[in-house]
Every structure is written in C-alpha cells, then in structure tokens.
Amino acid sequence: LAKTTQPISMDSYEGQEVNITCSHNNIATNDYITWYQQFPSQGPRFIIQGYKTKVTNEVASLFIPADRKSSTLSLPRVSLSDTAVYYCLVVSSGGSYIPTFGRGTSLIVHP
Amino acid sequence: DAGVIQSPRHEVTEMGQEVTLRCKPISGHDYLFWYRQTMMRGLELLIYFNNNVPIDDSGMPEDRFSAKMPNASFSTLKIQPSEPRDSAVYFCASRLAGRFTDTQYFGPGTRLTVL
C-alpha cells in the first residue's frame, strides 16, 4: 500500500490560492490519487481524482508530476467556507482496495 | 437518492452495554465501508464489504466489534460490550466500483459516547 504524507495543518487568508502537497513515494503503476474534503460534523466529500498530469474541476485542480511521487491539490481564491480537513488517498485500481485516510491536512482560512 | 443513511445520529450509552449502529448505502453501490474517527487517530477504516461479503476487517479493533451486511441495502456495526475508549464518530460510506475511479459517499455519521 502506498503511504501518504501531508502537512498536518495550514493557514491561509480569503482570496489566496492554497496548495496542499501530498507525498506518496511508493505509488504503484495501478494506483491513482484521490482527494477528499471534510467539514466539521460531516463525513468526507470527494473533491477530485487523477492519475497523472493535471485535472481540474469546478472545485479544485490536481497537479501530478511525471514521476507521480507527489501530488498537489490547488484551491483557487479560498473563502472562509473552505476551512476543512483535506485528505489525500492513494488507492489501487486493481487487486486489494483499502482506502487510507489518516489525519489529513487541517486548513484554516482567515478573514 | 437520499444518500447514505445512518442511524442513530447520536448514541450515549454506559460501559458494558451493547451498541448497534445502522447504515443504508446508496442504492446500486456495491461497496460499503465502516470508519471510525477520533482526534487522536484520525479517520480509520474498520471493515468493508463488496457485494455484501466482508473483504477486509483488519481494522476492526478487537472481538468486541462485529459487522454484518445481510443484504445490499443494510449493514450494522455492533459493539458488545462497549467501553469508554470506543467513543468516536462512526461513518458509513458506499461506493460504486469502476476502473480508475474512487468516489465514496459518506453518511452523516453516528456520534457515540460511552460513559
């Protein structure tokens, strides 16, 4: 299983771009990267997913370099409502599927 | 669809009592997961089912915990006997498998307090 490492916490201000990087040095060929967001008193919510290069949706962008040993979740122009915990997962598309959330990155957006 | 439904939303019980948490996954989803979340350990996977069959229960902390999925629309997580250290938020999630896709849909959680 690919182990992930991400910062425990980050602080930002409204209107800024936030980048959260996740390291996954032993990612396998069949693995892909998924990010979830969790607000207080709620379950996690899927944000974005990718295998390589760049993926963008209405919520965020995901940058994955060629070696795929890390990935960066980019949140453009954050607002107070983006204050949440963000989880990086590496999961396999084949064989054993065991999602590992860990503690995630707690993002606090200040006014 | 109403999403993943969990009950109860809150449960307060005394040490030694049996606790049963319930989950109704999204219709058509073939995976069901049970997670536990605490401040100390974060979000931990306890067990998951595929097509109602338990696939991996290595995260179940001990024999006091058991989970069942008698059919595609219902699952239970039981703790017997409960202990104060079991106090946590328990989430259920469901997923529709697909190649290179991973979208789990989480329920609102059950906040368990064991006194």
Side-chain angles (χ1 to χ4, degrees):
Chain A
L1 297 174
K3 178 180 169 64
T4 60
T5 302
Q6 54 183 124
I8 292 177
S9 64
M10 294 181 69
D11 288 87
S12 184
Y13 293 89
E14 284 191 291
Q16 290 188 335
E17 178 184 75
V18 172
N19 296 309
I20 305 174
T21 297
C22 178
S23 297
H24 28 80
N25 291 319
N26 60 339
I27 190 169
T29 302
N30 289 334
D31 293 343
Y32 52 97
I33 300 141
T34 307
W35 286 79
Y36 284 78
Q37 173 191 56
Q38 184 179 24
F39 296 116
S41 301
Q42 295 185 26
R45 180 178 72 114
F46 171 87
I47 302 178
I48 197 167
Q49 174 180 274
Y51 184 78
K52 61 181 178 181
T53 64
K54 176 183 175 181
V55 179
T56 298
N57 62 22
E58 65 278 5
V59 177
S61 294
L62 178 60
F63 298 91
I64 306 169
D67 65 7
R68 304 202 321 126
K69 293 184 183 298
S70 66
S71 59
T72 299
L73 175 73
S74 181
L75 305 172
R77 300 182 60 78
V78 294
S79 64
L80 296 178
S81 63
D82 291 315
T83 293
V85 178
Y86 293 83
Y87 298 93
C88 165
L89 279 72
V90 172
V91 292
S92 176
S93 64
S96 179
Y97 172 84
I98 302 180
T100 303
F101 279 80
R103 300 183 62 127
T105 297
S106 177
L107 172 66
I108 297 176
V109 180
H110 303 276
Chain B
D1 200 316
V4 176
I5 299 173
Q6 291 187 248
S7 65
R9 294 292 309 276
H10 302 273
E11 176 82 24
V12 180
T13 190
E14 293 188 346
M15 182 174 63
Q17 296 297 307
E18 177 179 292
V19 175
T20 299
L21 311 181
R22 299 173 177 80
C23 175
K24 176 179 169 54
I26 293 173
S27 177
H29 282 192
D30 50 0
Y31 280 80
L32 184 139
F33 306 84
W34 281 101
Y35 292 89
R36 176 174 68 176
Q37 186 169 41
T38 61
M39 289 292 293
M40 290 295 294
R41 300 175 68 90
L43 189 62
E44 303 173 280
L45 176 66
L46 298 177
I47 184 172
Y48 79 92
F49 296 83
N50 179 213
N51 293 322
N52 313 337
V53 176
I55 301 301
D56 191 300
D57 65 354
S58 58
M60 295 285 263
E62 49 198 272
D63 292 344
R64 298 185 296 107
F65 286 68
S66 62
K68 294 182 180 179
M69 192 164 185
N71 56 62
S73 59
F74 183 67
S75 177
T76 60
L77 177 68
K78 185 175 294 187
I79 308 173
Q80 166 65 18
S82 58
E83 297 182 1
R85 58 188 168 132
D86 301 330
S87 296
V89 180
Y90 291 81
F91 289 103
C92 174
S94 69
R95 165 185 180 252
L96 180 62
R99 183 167 174 79
F100 290 114
T101 65
D102 171 41
T103 304
Q104 295 183 52
Y105 295 85
F106 281 76
T110 295
R111 181 173 296 276
L112 173 65
T113 302
V114 183
L115 304 174

